[in-house]
Amino acid sequence: MIKKKRIKIIGAVCGFLGFIVIAWIFYPIVAYQINAPKLMTFLSPIAQADGVINTDANINDTDAATWFPTKASNLFTNDPVSFYTITIQRLGIVNAKVAIGGEDLSQSLIQYPGTALPGQIGNTTIFGHSVLPAFYNPKNYLTIFSTIPTLNEGDIITVNYDGITYKYSVEQKYIVDPSDVQVLSQDESDSFLTLVTCVPPGLTTYRGVIKARIMPVGEN
């Protein structure tokens, strides 16, 4: 009798722990869907007008050329590309490699070709892969941008390009539809850095966007 009770208790504990693990893994998706009406207000006017959502389960989301299908994907090539690095200390991302114009998001972050180089007037746009935050590893390019939606206004992003260090301060975060290419537009009022990943966590329905502005020399 005592042995049976122990077995029941152990089974109940194991079941409860299993439930906790499953809830921990999938909570980000559930929380995102609960907050979706509020998040939708951050969609750009273009996305709201189009109403087009990318629900293709077969999309190869490690291929940067598929992220904004309305733009010419032939800008992405497999030719040799140049690299620089990006650091986001708060997220544990240190000297992550950024390829200028590459395709494979499993090997590096990728700067969309034709966008401004770091430090230049315009908008440097960088794509990064994401998965469920429970599997986040800042050293793995398949998970590296999983937590960028947690960045807040004033957080610092550091870019080292051609031996020069640039610091950017986060100003905005919002979501757009995959058909909305306004995140690639070039704002010539200053030097901007835009980080883009797929959201909700682990899915490819929308694009989560972090926009930062370059900081004057001497500011921390």
Side-chain angles (χ1 to χ4, degrees):
M1 182 67 69
I2 295 177
K3 186 176 181 180
K4 288 183 178 180
K5 286 184 177 181
R6 287 180 177 175
I7 292 175
K8 287 183 179 180
I9 292 173
I10 292 173
V13 170
C14 290
F16 177 74
L17 291 176
F19 173 78
I20 293 297
V21 171
I22 293 173
W24 174 62
I25 291 175
F26 289 100
Y27 170 76
I29 293 180
V30 175
Y32 186 96
Q33 296 301 332
I34 291 173
N35 290 305
K38 179 170 63 177
L39 292 173
M40 286 292 289
T41 63
F42 290 97
L43 282 171
S44 72
I46 297 176
Q48 293 184 43
D50 288 348
V52 178
I53 298 176
N54 182 6
T55 57
D56 184 359
N58 297 315
I59 184 173
N60 178 10
D61 59 355
T62 62
D63 183 351
T66 67
W67 277 36
F68 285 91
T70 57
K71 290 292 275 189
S73 61
N74 61 5
L75 288 173
F76 290 89
T77 69
N78 289 318
D79 295 334
V81 295
S82 298
F83 297 91
Y84 58 91
T85 62
I86 183 172
T87 295
I88 310 175
Q89 289 286 355
R90 193 167 80 74
L91 304 183
I93 299 173
V94 179
N95 293 328
K97 182 171 63 175
V98 182
I100 303 176
E103 282 187 343
D104 191 353
L105 289 163
S106 69
Q107 299 299 313
S108 70
L109 298 169
I110 291 177
Q111 177 178 332
Y112 194 92
T115 61
L117 293 173
Q120 293 184 349
I121 296 298
N123 178 29
T124 305
T125 304
I126 299 174
F127 295 173
H129 205 273
S130 63
V131 296
L132 288 168
F135 304 107
Y136 174 59
N137 178 354
K139 296 181 180 180
N140 185 339
Y141 289 107
L142 286 174
T143 74
I144 190 167
F145 268 8
S146 299
T147 60
I148 66 166
T150 68
L151 289 172
N152 296 313
E153 184 177 355
D155 284 338
I156 305 301
I157 302 169
T158 303
V159 173
N160 190 293
Y161 174 79
D162 197 22
I164 302 175
T165 298
Y166 302 98
K167 290 187 176 182
Y168 295 80
S169 177
V170 173
E171 290 190 339
Q172 302 174 18
K173 62 179 178 180
Y174 51 94
I175 61 173
V176 298
D177 188 272
S179 64
D180 185 353
V181 297
Q182 59 103 12
V183 298
L184 307 175
S185 62
Q186 296 301 296
D187 184 345
E188 297 184 355
S189 65
D190 207 339
S191 178
F192 297 93
L193 177 68
T194 298
L195 310 181
V196 183
T197 197
C198 291
V199 294
L203 301 177
T204 62
T205 310
Y206 297 109
R207 304 293 176 256
V209 181
I210 300 292
K211 188 168 184 178
R213 184 190 299 262
I214 199 167
M215 300 174 66
V217 176
E219 287 193 16
N220 293 324

